[in-house]
């Protein structure tokens, strides 16, 4: 009794917000339009604030991480290892999504897809995707929130800042100061995170209830089962064998970030939580900033699984038996699409039409699955940020020798 009342932790506050959102959403099922009109806007304000800080956060985090490393050769090795890890896990994610959905396609019913919601898909070419990575000018990527191009610009200036040595000292100091300011602004935004989570989720629950009707329940079940399989077969072994980290310890420390990712549907908005979690796992701040900022944009294992599962789902619903070429087209385009998916709610829908088009599937199928995209997005966002964190743990192990790796991280008991 003599002890001062303890304040709820951020994780507990968000957990309470989740429970309240479910309860209030169920009570408002007959007034879903009211919830969308009067509650959703406050959630949108919170989400807009997160989107507003994303570009400065990613830019400053990557450049700070590069500047703190100082050694170009060391930075190059980290970049190659990180990109290799992301590429391999994304390819495995697509394969798991396609394989598991194919095994379960007998549960997918035949549905007549209406052509009322038409989506135009651009012709998919590998070279076009490569060209679009590089910006025409320095301003446009920041104005259009093209995260891939923003990262390219940031990497170029980061490498140059490190490479010029002492002559870039003032720039390095400016970057460090800007990073501290951006993190402080982000801290202000995070103070209202529980309220933002409540306002974002309540209208979703009010509109959908506690159950998803018809075939969508099957699709969601296959998606979430594939997420669990990928986490078990990829992240757990990677963290244990490559990162020398106890998987139970890893997921316990990641619980706050995973919970926020599930609530916000945004991997970039979850960055501060993920960064804090991996620091608690013993990952150095410079390594974590670089790997997580890069991963929040180009590592979307959850999206890769979702695109694979949804493609097989739409094919089954239309009575289409996919050929080997179509499977390859889905796998290739899903991998590229997941790299270019914005790390914000609904980002996957923007590129789903491209995947369908490349495989010869009806593009109108995007309209069919759009209704539950938000509900599946929660799970795939958790997958994506967990993949980023597992990479950070693995990269930290390669950056350090086993002898000087933090004991709290390397313990497997």
């Amino acid at each position: 009794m003599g002890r001062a009342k303890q304040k709820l932790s951020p994780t507990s506050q968000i957990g309470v917000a989740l429970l309240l959102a479910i309860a209030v959403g169920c009570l408002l099922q007959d007034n879903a339009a009211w919830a969308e009109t009067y509650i959703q806007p406050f959630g949108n304000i919170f989400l807009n604030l997160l989107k507003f800080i994303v570009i400065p956060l990613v830019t400053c985090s990557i450049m700070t991480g590069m500047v703190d490393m100082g050694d170009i050769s060391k930075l190059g090795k980290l970049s190659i290892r990180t990109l290799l890890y992301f590429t391999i896990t994304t390819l495995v994610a697509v394969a798991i999504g396609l394989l598991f959905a194919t095994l379960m396609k007998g549960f997918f019913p035949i549905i007549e897809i209406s052509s009322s919601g038409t989506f135009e898909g651009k012709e998919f070419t590998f070279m076009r995707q490569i060209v679009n990575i590089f910006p025409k000018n320095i301003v446009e990527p920041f104005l259009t929130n093209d995260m891939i191009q923003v990262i390219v610009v940031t990497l170029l200036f980061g490498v140059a800042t490190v490479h010029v040595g002492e002559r870039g000292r003032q720039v390095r100091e400016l970057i460090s100061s800007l990073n501290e300011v951006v993190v402080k602004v982000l801290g202000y935004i995070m103070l209202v995170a529980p309220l933002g989570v409540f306002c974002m989720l309540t209208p979703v629950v009010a509109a959908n209830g506690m159950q998803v009707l018809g075939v969508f329940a099957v699709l969601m079940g296959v998606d979430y089962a594939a997420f669990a399989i990928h986490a078990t077969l990829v992240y757990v072994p990677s963290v244990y064998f490559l990162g020398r980290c106890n998987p139970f310890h890893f997921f316990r420390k990641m619980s706050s970030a995973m919970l926020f990712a599930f609530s916000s549907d945004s991997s970039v908005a979850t960055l501060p939580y993920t960064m804090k979690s991996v620091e608690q796992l013993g990952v150095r701040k410079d390594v974590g900033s670089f790997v997580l900022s890069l991963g929040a944009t180009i590592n979307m294992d959850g999206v890769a699984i979702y695109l694979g599962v949804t493609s097989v789902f739409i094919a089954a619903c239309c009575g289409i038996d996919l050929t080997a070429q179509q499977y390859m087209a889905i796998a290739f385009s899903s991998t590229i699409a997941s790299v270019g998916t914005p790390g914000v709610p609904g980002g996957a829908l923007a590129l789903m039409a491209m995947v369908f088009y490349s495989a010869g599937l009806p593009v109108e199928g995007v309209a069919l699955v759009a209704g539950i995209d938000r509900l599946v997005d929660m799970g795939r966002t958790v997958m994506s940020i967990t993949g980023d964190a597992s990479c950070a743990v693995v990269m930290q192990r390669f950056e350090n020798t086993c002898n000087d790796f933090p004991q709290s991280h390397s313990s497997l008991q």
Side-chain angles (χ1 to χ4, degrees), residues 131-137 140-142 144 146-154 297:
V131 170
N132 289 339
I133 290 175
F134 299 93
K136 301 174 185 176
N137 61 64
E140 186 176 354
F142 295 88
T144 60
D146 190 325
M147 294 302 297
I148 293 291
Q149 293 188 354
V150 166
I151 283 185
V152 169
V153 172
T154 303
T297 300

Side-chain angles (χ1 to χ4, degrees), residues 46-300:
F46 174 64
L47 202 57
N48 286 342
L49 289 173
L50 291 175
K51 293 177 181 178
F52 144 77
I53 203 66
V54 162
I55 294 290
L57 178 65
V58 170
T59 303
C60 292
S61 294
I62 290 179
M63 290 195 71
T64 300
M66 297 173 74
V67 167
D68 288 346
M69 277 182 202
D71 187 347
I72 288 288
S73 62
K74 186 178 178 183
L75 180 61
K77 291 178 182 178
L78 177 61
S79 301
I80 293 172
R81 287 169 180 162
T82 301
L83 292 174
L84 183 62
Y85 183 93
F86 287 158
T87 301
I88 292 174
T89 58
T90 301
L91 288 172
V92 173
V94 175
I96 288 175
L98 288 173
L99 178 60
F100 190 66
T102 300
L103 293 174
M104 300 296 293
K105 71 177 182 180
F107 294 94
F108 298 151
I110 301 293
I111 298 176
E112 188 173 333
I113 296 180
S114 170
S115 60
S116 56
T118 303
F119 290 79
E120 290 187 19
K122 295 182 180 180
E123 184 180 357
F124 172 79
T125 66
F126 177 76
M127 292 310 300
R128 176 180 295 171
Q129 198 73 11
I130 293 296
V131 170
N132 289 339
I133 290 175
F134 299 93
K136 301 174 185 176
N137 61 64
I138 193 174
V139 178
E140 186 176 354
F142 295 88
L143 294 178
T144 60
N145 288 331
D146 190 325
M147 294 302 297
I148 293 291
Q149 293 188 354
V150 166
I151 283 185
V152 169
V153 172
T154 303
L155 289 175
L156 287 174
F157 277 87
V159 169
T161 302
V162 174
H163 200 256
V164 296
E166 182 60 26
R167 288 171 293 176
R169 181 174 56 83
Q170 291 182 328
V171 176
R172 290 194 293 271
E173 292 175 354
L174 176 61
I175 292 170
S176 179
S177 299
L178 281 175
N179 189 55
E180 290 186 18
V181 172
V182 169
V183 170
K184 179 60 70 174
V185 172
L186 186 59
Y188 298 150
I189 297 173
M190 287 302 151
L191 290 176
V192 296
L195 177 62
V197 167
F198 172 81
C199 293
M200 285 190 294
L201 284 184
T202 299
V204 175
V205 178
N208 295 277
M210 293 296 291
Q211 298 178 346
V212 180
L213 301 176
V215 298
F216 296 130
V218 178
L219 177 58
M220 285 185 61
V222 173
D223 276 318
Y224 277 89
F227 295 157
I229 291 171
H230 184 72
T232 304
L233 297 182
V234 177
Y235 298 150
V236 170
S238 295
V239 166
Y240 186 86
F241 293 108
L242 299 178
R244 298 289 177 86
C245 175
N246 188 326
F248 294 103
H249 179 62
F250 172 80
F251 284 107
R252 185 169 64 250
K253 292 297 183 182
M254 282 296 299
S255 60
S256 175
M258 293 170 73
L259 185 59
F260 186 81
F262 187 82
S263 308
S264 67
D265 295 354
S266 175
S267 54
V268 289
T270 313
L271 261 177
Y273 285 94
T274 315
M275 288 180 177
K276 183 178 180 180
S277 296
V278 298
E279 283 182 26
Q280 293 174 349
L281 286 165
V283 178
R284 288 206 322 266
K285 194 168 184 178
D286 56 346
V287 175
S289 295
F290 180 81
V291 173
L292 296 178
S293 297
L294 196 61
T297 300
I298 71 170
N299 184 46
M300 301 286 176

Side-chain angles (χ1 to χ4, degrees), residues 384-406:
S384 296
I385 67 108
T386 306
D388 297 343
S390 70
C391 180
V393 169
V394 172
M395 293 306 114
Q396 176 63 64
R397 191 239 169 156
F398 280 104
E399 284 298 304
N400 288 352
T401 64
C402 293
N403 292 331
D404 62 8
F405 207 58

Side-chain angles (χ1 to χ4, degrees), residues 368-387:
L368 180 65
V369 300
I372 62 163
D373 180 73
R374 177 71 183 272
L375 298 174
V376 180
D377 198 9
M378 298 172 180
R380 66 177 182 247
T381 303
V382 172
M383 289 297 300
S384 296
I385 67 108
T386 306

